[in-house]
Amino acid sequence: MPAAEPLASPPVVPGSARPLAADGRPSLIGLDVDALSDIVRPLDGGDAKRVRLRARQLFHWIHHRGAADFGSMSTLPEKLRRSLANGFSVARPEIVAAQVSADGTRKWLLRFADGQQVESVFIPEEDRGALCISTQVGCTLACTFCHTGTMPLVRNLGPAEILAQILVARDALGEWPVPGEGGGAVRRLLTNIVVMGMGEPLFNYDNIAAALRLAMDDAGLAFSRRRITLSTSGVVPRIEQCGRELGVGLAISLHAVRDELRDEIVPINRKWNIEALLDACRRYPNRRPITFEYVMLAGVNDSDDDARALVRLLADVPAKVNLIPFNPWPGAPYACSSNNRIRAFAAIVEAGGHASPVRTPRGRDIDAACGQLKTSSIRRRRTPGDAAAGPAGCAPMSVTAL
Ligand code: SAH
Ligand code: SF4
């Protein structure tokens, strides 16, 4: 099929299609079958049943087969494919940088239509692999140990921008389903989604909910809700809603057992304190244990007393504790606890009845570990003499190209 003609004037778009990539065309990524029906109706001219069928086929191509152009959508009539290509896009956001760590972790820096950038990270393990996705450009919260927290919030990501991170990873891993290969029986590297990248997902609830619904749609990416985990620093009023509406696994960034310390290192605690947070956890409508993340900061929150207090605090919550060695970043005001201290802390928590695996830092050599995400564009913007350069005008970071 011929290449798309240049776009003379932006089409009038029903629903929520917005440009995702630099081509400026409204993207159909992240739209459900209803929204796609609104797109197809004026282009195809059939009755309601036919419009619905075409919209379903389009949805399948975009979200199940991962088509990155309309030309490959062989079940759609040629004329419809051409009309779609003239007004719309299924292109990915620009991949500014793609890095691979010595341990196999991969990180992508993506740039969206307005030039804003975020990072996503793929962490392979022996029998599975998790993609860590971002939900905001920067973060409004300023947890003192988190690099993202030092960036100002620029904006929320839309559903397409959240979903596109999964599409980019599937593209790179070559894991789109091929007809006849046996569907779910095929082993994939990318099996889990963790919403633990840049930003606080529950401050962007509607968009993350829309993206995760599509990620869980059986006709689309078909991730089971059991393979999705959302991490929050403690946006209490949204926690129960998230469990009720999405049913995904929950992780809580606890990091301190006393309000006085948590007020300082996880400042959202001043609004919703530990008691309010644990109350919301007890009401979480999902029978799976909640993961409590606890970053190990030397001399700050890592004493035996802290470990014992943690056991008491979680006594009546179905919990698993995840001890995260602190990942350093330039200028960070903390050091990571020693291995012996982490082991002693873990032993107390385990004796108290909670599994407490220590998370192995992954991708530290490419700044891909927890709390290290922060786009190079912002770092550059802050270097002297470069104050005027916004993210859009920045050069890529130095990388190993994939
Ligand atoms: N905003 C959400 C999700 C993103 S942060 C939240 O706070 O839960 C993902 C996890 O990484 C959180 O548990 C966070 O506290 C942790 N983290 C942040 N900075 C870190 C660092 N420097 N070292 C280790 N873990 C860190
Ligand atoms: Fe934001 Fe989470 Fe980092 Fe806190 S830990 S600053 S909530 S991204």
Side-chain angles (χ1 to χ4, degrees), residues 1-16:
M1 113 181 224
E5 289 144 29
L7 202 58
S9 58
V12 178
V13 186
S16 50

Side-chain angles (χ1 to χ4, degrees), residues 329-354:
W329 37 273
Y334 302 106
C336 181
S337 312
S338 70
N339 287 345
N340 281 346
R341 184 88 295 275
I342 296 177
R343 266 196 292 275
F345 194 99
I348 293 173
V349 177
E350 258 162 40
H354 296 292

Side-chain angles (χ1 to χ4, degrees), residues 167-192:
L167 306 195
V168 165
R170 273 252 166 111
D171 290 348
L173 297 170
E175 293 201 321
W176 289 107
V178 175
E181 70 170 6
V186 175
R187 267 182 73 129
R188 294 213 152 75
L189 293 170
L190 171 44
T191 56
N192 291 55

Side-chain angles (χ1 to χ4, degrees), residues 58-374:
L58 192 50
F59 184 87
H60 172 88
W61 280 109
I62 299 169
H63 298 105
H64 187 76
R65 298 285 299 279
D69 61 74
F70 295 104
S72 60
M73 300 183 181
S74 55
T75 55
L76 296 181
E78 165 96 29
K79 184 170 161 285
L80 177 59
R81 282 188 267 162
R82 224 180 2 250
S83 310
L84 286 168
N86 278 336
F88 302 96
S89 170
V90 284
R92 311 316 191 213
E94 181 191 347
I95 301 171
V96 178
Q99 290 174 279
V100 189
S101 155
D103 69 14
T105 301
R106 294 169 179 237
K107 182 170 86 169
W108 295 273
L109 173 65
L110 304 181
R111 173 151 57 203
F112 299 115
D114 65 352
Q116 295 299 342
Q117 302 180 10
V118 296
E119 291 175 326
S120 36
V121 176
F122 174 66
I123 307 135
E125 284 173 41
E126 216 151 87
D127 53 348
R128 62 195 190 141
L131 182 71
C132 178
I133 57 174
S134 294
T135 54
Q136 299 183 312
V137 183
C139 189
T140 44
L141 300 168
C143 303
T144 48
F145 50 84
C146 174
H147 209 189
T148 308
T150 65
M151 286 173 70
L153 176 81
V154 181
R155 67 173 174 82
N156 284 331
L157 297 188
E161 293 168 326
I162 297 169
L163 210 59
Q165 297 172 58
I166 308 176
L167 306 195
V168 165
R170 273 252 166 111
D171 290 348
L173 297 170
E175 293 201 321
W176 289 107
V178 175
E181 70 170 6
V186 175
R187 267 182 73 129
R188 294 213 152 75
L189 293 170
L190 171 44
T191 56
N192 291 55
I193 304 291
V194 294
V195 188
M196 295 187 183
M198 296 162 65
E200 169 47 60
L202 297 188
F203 275 156
N204 186 16
Y205 181 78
D206 291 345
N207 289 338
I208 186 70
L212 291 185
R213 282 197 186 98
L214 292 183
M216 290 188 278
D217 191 323
D218 281 340
L221 286 155
F223 281 92
S224 153
R225 65 190 169 80
R226 278 177 289 278
R227 292 192 172 273
I228 299 178
T229 303
L230 181 144
S231 173
T232 178
S233 57
V235 184
V236 164
R238 292 285 193 186
I239 288 178
E240 194 183 347
Q241 183 185 11
C242 173
R244 203 177 49 244
E245 295 180 353
L246 303 175
V248 296
L250 181 67
I252 298 285
S253 294
L254 187 63
H255 306 315
V257 288
R258 289 171 287 114
D259 280 324
E260 196 193 357
L261 177 62
R262 198 165 188 269
D263 281 351
E264 182 194 324
I265 67 176
V266 186
I268 197 175
N269 197 67
R270 294 177 207 154
K271 192 157 173 89
W272 295 293
N273 66 13
I274 295 176
E275 197 188 321
L277 179 57
L278 292 181
D279 244 23
C281 290
R282 286 186 202 99
R283 292 196 307 271
Y284 194 69
N286 178 342
R287 292 205 189 89
R288 283 156 63 195
I290 293 170
T291 303
F292 286 86
E293 295 157 287
Y294 197 94
V295 64
M296 299 300 293
L297 305 172
V300 176
N301 64 353
D302 64 349
S303 71
D304 287 355
D305 273 354
D306 288 318
R308 284 190 283 267
L310 181 58
V311 170
R312 284 196 300 275
L313 213 51
L314 300 182
D316 60 349
V317 186
K320 184 180 130 191
V321 176
N322 215 328
L323 300 180
I324 317 176
F326 169 66
N327 290 307
W329 37 273
Y334 302 106
C336 181
S337 312
S338 70
N339 287 345
N340 281 346
R341 184 88 295 275
I342 296 177
R343 266 196 292 275
F345 194 99
I348 293 173
V349 177
E350 258 162 40
H354 296 292
S356 66
V358 179
R359 204 189 281 174
T360 320
R362 300 290 302 269
R364 268 188 179 176
D365 54 334
I366 56 168
D367 282 352
C370 295
Q372 291 186 317
L373 300 187
K374 180 178 177 193

